[in-house]
Structure formats: C-alpha cells, structure tokens
Amino acid sequence: MSTDDTPTPALNLWHHARVATMTPDRPWGWIDIGALVTEGPTLRWVGPEDQLPPELRAQVTTTHDLSNAVVTPGLIDGHTHLVYGGQRAHEFELRLQGATYEEIARAGGGIRSTVAATRGASEATLHTLALHRARTLLADGVTTIEIKSGYGLSLEDEARCLRVARQIGRELPITVRTTSLAAHALPPEFEGRADTYIDAVCTWLPQWHAQGLVDAVDAFCERMAFTPAQVQRVFEAARALALPVKLHAEQLSDSGGAALAASYGALSCDHLEYLSVDGIQAMARAGTVAMLLPGAFYYLRETRRPPIESLRAAGVPMAIATDHNPGSSPALSLTLMLNMACTLFQLTPEEALAGATRHAATALDLQDTHGTLEPGKRADFVVWDVGHPRELAYRFGHSPVLRVVAGGQEVSR
Ligand code: NIG
Ligand code: FE
C-alpha cells in the first residue's frame, strides 16, 4: 500500500515481442523489439523495450516473455448476425444448382426461414448457440464483436436476441456492441404492408433503447428488403434517440443507400459491391467507414467487387468483418476474412489488418478505447505464432493464435 492507502496497481509486463500497434504513423505501427505494460484492463505503456522507464519496470509484478512472437491489437469483428436459430445448408445446395439468393428469399426461404427458426427457439437455446459462435471467434483472436438482431422481427423476438447479445458481453471477456436490425426483412404477418411494419419498428425502437439493448441502428436497403424512404424513417427514429446508424447498402444493386446513410453521419456502410461514385463521395465527406464483407461476396459467388481503388483514393477507411450469418456468410474466422480481403478484393495485408482493428474500431465508435495498442486503451491483444503480421493474411484455414489477452486477462483456451 502507498502512503495514502490507495492500493498499488498490479502491473504486468509483456516483453520480447514484435509489436504491430496498428497506429497510422508508420507501417503496421511497428516496434521491432517491443514491450507492453498492462494495468488491470488498460494498457499503461507500449514501446521499444529499451525505452521502458526504469521506475515503471520497478513496479511490474508479473513478467511474460513472448519469445519474439508478433503481437497485434485484439481483432474486431464489426458486423455479425450472431444470434439466430437453425441453419440454411439446404439453400446452399439450391444455390449450387442455380437458384439465386434473391429467388430463394422471394420464395419464402432466406432471412424469413431463419426468422421462423429463431422465433421457435427458446432464449436459452439462442444463447447457447450464440455463445459458442462468440467463443469460436474469440479463439481466433477476436476480442470485440458487433452483434445485430434481425431474425426476430417482432417487439419481443428482437428484444430476446438483443438480450442474448448483451449477455454474451457479460459472460465473455469481450466488448460487445449491439445493433438493432429490425428493418432486415418483412415478417410474414406484415406481408404486403411494409410501411406499416416500418411504423411498428419506429415505435419499438424507443422501447428496446429504454431497456439498454441498443448501441446502434441498422437496416437492409435493397430491392428485396426496404426502400431508401423506409430506411430514412428508421434513421429518423434512431436520430430522435441519439443513436448512431449504419446500413446494409448496395450489396445486390445500387439504391443510393450509402449516400442516404452518410447524410445521417452513418458509422459505416456495409457490403457496397454496387456503390456509386456519389456514394463514395458522400461517405468520404461524412467520415463513414466502408465495411467490406468478403465472406458474403465469396459465398454468394458475386462477381462485382466493391470499388476498392476508388474508396482508397477517396480516403474512405475500409474495415473487414465476417458478416457471420446463416444465409450469406456462415464464417466464424476473421483471420480467414483477412486472407479473402486480399485475394478477392486486393487489399494489402496491412490494409486488411487495419480493417480488422483500427478501422473496425471507428466503425463501432470505439476508436478512443479500442483498435490500436496505445497507452490508455483497453489491453486487448493477440500473440501470434508468426514472424511478421503479413502472415496473418497470407495463411488461411488455420489460425496461428498463441495467446489472447482481453481486458488485461489472458483468455484460457
Ligand atoms: O449481411 N444482407 C442482409 N443480411 C445478411 C444476410 C442475412 C441472411 O441471409 O440471413 C447479410 O448478408
Ligand atoms: Fe449483414
């Protein structure tokens, strides 16, 4: 104890590391022989080991030798639909025989079939399923996850899914951001009455918000889902609650959704295969992140890539996520998405990792606390069995995770 009776903090030193801090001031934010000092859940110091202040080293209570392994920020999966019942392997077979994603949805399959399975599952079952998925992501180095609702589509069924998402954030040492995606698809009881459904969503949103269940609001703007005018009404309801918005935009066609979302200061626009020049410019002006989802592009066997070169030229930050969902991206590996972002979208390995760390943090409005390894930020980091962080994107199908530290605590595996 110090003289004023405040407890002396326990400091942990993690050293002999090759550190990709992912700060933007130099490539990879690289430190060749680096060290990190954690104090409880927070990073106290990060830098070249020979510059560690002696008075700080003297306070260290536990030392971890990382044997020259590479350390990166904990990965951030900024777009998932983690809470749902059932699976859609049969639709996968149908698509292989030539049916399209849209045709299956119009025939009552697609999102609606997952809505039926989700409504038919107990909250305990939804929790068990989603917890397993979150643990799988965590084992692959993901320490922050955005989780959307969107398979309940009623006041109570959406609330159940959001409660499950919140519960996972309490149970695992990860940061969870919840997003209401009630405007995902039209539930069958509102068939032919999309505007009435949107009215309902606008009255439900304040109720979910009052229960502390919502960090942001999303919608699916597409000819098979909701029009820009309908999305705008949802965004107005979000604005009235001071909730940030984001949008599934321009995935299958250009409906101008990205420009609309940017006009509401959207945190991110997601998918973006059909994004127009106007959409890019609106996103650049608003500081909106482009959330790229190579898993959905791959799985739906899309051929039109998001306009990567134009996004890069316009200075729009590009994030990468799994888009985990049972229909268009049943993927549970963000490291696989790093590889796909490079092979399918031609991001550089450094852009891909920045997309799963620094830019993903911005997309979740967590840039002050997450996404890079800097003093004062949360002590979320991953120790990898690689010689250089570019190898994280180079490999696929197996994960070189050695250790995951979340909030300063090593996660047991
Ligand atoms: O992000 N695009 C809309 N939503 C999901 C897919 C949902 C589903 O097919 O179940 C997506 O791809
Ligand atoms: Fe999605």
Side-chain angles (χ1 to χ4, degrees):
M1 303 289 269
S2 59
T3 46
D4 63 359
D5 278 355
T6 48
T8 310
L11 297 191
N12 277 247
L13 170 66
W14 309 76
H15 74 144
H16 288 162
R18 297 159 61 73
V19 187
T21 66
M22 299 313 288
T23 57
D25 51 317
R26 58 193 186 281
W28 305 92
W30 188 248
I31 304 170
D32 210 23
I33 304 173
L36 302 93
V37 176
T38 58
E39 180 175 0
T42 308
L43 281 169
R44 171 85 178 264
W45 189 89
V46 182
E49 188 157 357
D50 60 4
Q51 291 175 25
L52 178 62
E55 61 278 13
L56 194 59
R57 189 183 269 272
Q59 294 175 51
V60 166
T61 46
T62 312
T63 300
H64 310 260
D65 186 340
L66 300 183
S67 310
N68 275 323
V70 166
V71 172
T72 71
L75 303 185
I76 299 177
D77 194 348
H79 180 140
T80 81
H81 309 246
L82 220 60
V83 185
Y84 61 87
Q87 45 77 25
R88 308 225 298 267
H90 181 54
E91 293 181 9
F92 176 59
E93 292 179 313
L94 291 176
R95 283 194 293 103
L96 291 174
Q97 289 158 21
T100 69
Y101 181 68
E102 272 188 275
E103 283 164 4
I104 292 169
R106 288 190 195 286
I111 295 171
R112 272 196 186 182
S113 74
T114 299
V115 170
T118 303
R119 288 178 173 180
S122 68
E123 192 163 328
T125 298
L126 292 175
H127 168 256
T128 304
L129 292 169
L131 183 64
H132 176 74
R133 295 172 192 134
R135 284 205 170 111
T136 305
L137 288 170
L138 177 60
D140 192 37
V142 173
T143 52
T144 299
I145 309 178
E146 185 256 16
I147 302 180
K148 301 175 194 298
S149 65
Y151 293 116
L153 309 187
S154 73
L155 178 62
E156 180 49 25
D157 288 304
E158 286 285 295
R160 289 196 318 151
C161 296
L162 292 167
R163 281 197 297 267
V164 165
R166 280 275 188 256
Q167 176 68 17
I168 288 169
R170 285 191 292 270
E171 270 168 295
L172 298 181
I174 56 176
T175 303
V176 167
R177 300 296 277 173
T178 60
T179 299
S180 167
L181 178 57
H184 193 197
L186 193 61
E189 62 275 19
F190 283 87
E191 186 63 50
R193 297 184 299 135
D195 282 311
T196 312
Y197 178 64
I198 293 296
D199 289 341
V201 169
C202 294
T203 61
W204 297 337
L205 200 52
Q207 301 179 58
W208 299 321
H209 181 53
Q211 293 166 42
L213 294 175
V214 185
D215 296 322
V217 175
D218 193 352
F220 187 15
C221 188
E222 192 59 65
R223 56 189 178 216
M224 65 185 278
F226 297 101
T227 65
Q230 290 162 341
V231 168
Q232 184 162 10
R233 291 204 285 131
V234 176
F235 283 178
E236 285 295 328
R239 178 177 273 177
L241 300 167
L243 285 170
V245 302
K246 56 183 75 176
L247 191 66
H248 283 72
E250 273 73 284
Q251 179 187 9
L252 306 168
S253 61
D254 177 17
S255 56
L260 170 68
S263 77
Y264 281 81
L267 292 173
S268 68
C269 291
D270 304 40
H271 287 287
L272 302 176
E273 278 77 355
Y274 288 81
L275 180 63
S276 68
V277 172
D278 286 353
I280 294 170
Q281 286 167 355
M283 289 174 66
R285 277 195 301 274
T288 298
V289 174
M291 182 68 76
L292 305 176
L293 306 172
F297 174 90
Y298 160 80
Y299 202 65
L300 297 182
R301 294 189 295 142
E302 298 289 341
T303 51
R304 179 168 164 142
R305 300 183 326 147
I308 304 298
E309 294 79 8
S310 305
L311 286 166
R312 194 184 277 132
V316 175
M318 294 183 280
I320 306 293
T322 60
D323 189 18
H324 175 84
N325 75 75
S328 67
S329 187
L332 280 173
S333 168
L334 193 49
T335 51
L336 175 60
M337 298 304 125
L338 298 179
N339 175 268
M340 286 189 177
C342 297
T343 54
L344 300 175
F345 293 167
Q346 282 181 279
L347 267 64
T348 67
E350 187 187 355
E351 284 176 324
L353 186 60
T357 55
R358 187 171 77 245
H359 297 316
T362 304
L364 299 184
D365 203 13
L366 292 174
Q367 62 281 357
D368 294 339
T369 49
H370 292 65
T372 58
L373 297 174
E374 294 177 88
K377 285 201 171 181
R378 197 174 143 85
D380 289 346
F381 56 89
V382 185
V383 185
W384 304 94
D385 185 16
V386 297
H388 190 279
R390 67 169 70 90
E391 289 175 49
L392 301 179
Y394 150 77
R395 295 162 196 246
F396 70 100
H398 59 119
S399 177
V401 172
L402 286 174
R403 301 166 83 166
V404 179
V405 176
Q409 298 277 341
E410 180 149 9
V411 179
S412 56
R413 287 155 36 78

